[in-house]
Amino acid sequence: MIINSTELQNNFGKYLMLAAHEDIIITRNGTEIAKLTAIIEPLAEKINLTDMVYEKSSEYSYDGRRATFEEFLQLQRESEERYEYIDGEIYWLASPKTAHQYALTELFGIFYNFFQGKHCTPMVAPYDIELKRTPENINMVQPDIMIICDLEEKLNEDDYYKGVPSLVVEILSKSTRRKDLIKKLDLYMSCGVGEYWIVNPDNKEVTVYFFENQNFSKNATYKNNEAAQSYLFEGLSAEIGRIFRV
């Protein structure tokens, strides 16, 4: 990730956390001057890269340049496949495996029951969420689960939601791990999502990140006989043993 020195100064805590996942290159007046890197082995390096199947983004390189949002929308219209668009990169979404779908079903059931009769609404993928870093930098993602608290107010005339979910959940797989841990973590935090749950079927853990003012505030990881707890919604919890297959 490359940022300028002003951005680092204004959001040091955010980039200190992100440096645990990948190196942060700092520039001044367009020139690289420093690198923020983790002392411990970065999380991304702990992943067995030889076993990882990356999302098919290079297939849509558009003559070696990043795709525009309009080009992404055209691809989406012309294909029956599912895609996400993050910072100019297009990612093909592979069909999920059983462990992924088991965790998705169990967790959505917990959320659905909790929010019955409440103002917020749980939604499940595929469901496009449009997130804007700036008016020009538009991204389109499909979180596995979303908690939306302004659904009726943010529906456009074509019945598409144009707001920002309060809580999002991503269930890791080998093909999405790096994107979910790094790119989406930064995207959700930067665009106003309040809470981000990362569900890992491989090690049967759930990590909950709480964001305030588009920056890291709190986080916790739950495993074994524990129950993942929401910072944002009091009383919302999910027993780890229920989410994952034995």
Side-chain angles (χ1 to χ4, degrees):
M1 181 180 295
I2 301 176
I3 61 172
N4 60 48
S5 56
T6 301
E7 176 70 10
L8 177 67
Q9 292 170 1
N10 292 339
N11 300 278
F12 183 74
K14 162 185 169 180
Y15 291 112
L16 191 62
M17 291 287 290
L18 289 175
H21 303 289
E22 67 172 332
D23 291 343
I24 308 294
I25 306 298
I26 299 100
T27 66
R28 179 180 294 159
N29 298 324
T31 302
E32 296 181 2
I33 60 171
K35 178 169 69 173
L36 185 64
T37 188
I39 295 176
I40 61 174
E41 183 182 12
L43 178 60
E45 296 302 321
K46 297 179 181 179
I47 302 170
N48 187 349
L49 298 181
T50 59
D51 292 338
M52 183 176 290
V53 182
Y54 285 100
E55 297 88 341
K56 297 180 180 179
S57 59
S58 59
E59 184 177 345
Y60 310 102
S61 61
Y62 294 90
D63 299 324
R65 62 178 173 82
R66 291 178 179 268
T68 66
F69 186 63
E70 289 70 25
E71 288 169 331
F72 162 73
L73 293 178
Q74 181 179 355
L75 173 65
Q76 194 178 50
R77 287 192 297 266
E78 294 175 352
S79 174
E80 295 183 359
E81 301 283 357
R82 293 172 54 212
Y83 301 96
E84 292 184 313
Y85 178 80
I86 304 175
D87 296 330
E89 296 287 345
I90 296 175
Y91 297 90
W92 170 70
L93 299 177
S95 177
K97 295 185 178 180
T98 302
H100 179 285
Q101 292 303 91
Y102 186 94
L104 175 65
T105 302
E106 290 295 326
L107 195 54
F108 182 75
I110 293 170
F111 284 7
Y112 179 83
N113 290 331
F114 179 83
F115 286 102
Q116 281 293 291
K118 298 182 173 64
H119 177 65
C120 300
T121 303
M123 304 289 281
V124 67
Y127 191 65
D128 285 334
I129 297 295
E130 184 179 295
L131 298 175
K132 297 181 180 180
R133 293 186 187 272
T134 66
E136 297 77 24
N137 187 344
I138 306 173
N139 302 267
M140 187 78 79
V141 292
Q142 293 189 4
D144 289 309
I145 300 174
M146 302 132 277
I147 305 300
I148 297 174
C149 298
D150 57 355
L151 184 63
E152 296 302 324
E153 302 97 293
K154 297 294 184 178
L155 288 178
N156 68 9
E157 58 185 14
D158 295 321
D159 200 37
Y160 289 109
Y161 175 68
K162 294 299 180 180
V164 177
S166 297
L167 184 155
V168 296
V169 178
E170 295 287 1
I171 301 170
L172 299 184
S173 64
K174 287 183 179 180
S175 65
T176 66
R177 188 185 307 261
R178 186 179 181 90
K179 172 162 61 85
D180 292 343
L181 288 172
I182 299 174
K183 291 183 178 294
K184 284 191 171 181
L185 176 65
D186 179 59
L187 179 67
Y188 293 148
M189 177 174 58
S190 300
C191 293
V193 170
E195 189 166 288
Y196 181 30
W197 289 38
I198 298 178
V199 179
N200 191 338
D202 286 341
N203 60 16
K204 296 179 171 58
E205 292 182 353
V206 175
T207 299
V208 178
Y209 289 95
F210 180 57
F211 307 133
E212 290 183 297
N213 300 318
Q214 299 178 322
N215 212 333
F216 287 100
S217 178
K218 305 172 185 176
N219 70 278
T221 297
Y222 302 91
K223 55 186 176 181
N224 300 327
N225 297 321
E226 299 173 333
Q229 305 286 334
S230 172
Y231 295 105
L232 192 60
F233 298 102
E234 184 177 358
L236 176 60
S237 65
E239 295 179 6
I240 299 302
R242 178 177 170 181
I243 299 172
F244 303 111
R245 294 167 62 203
V246 177

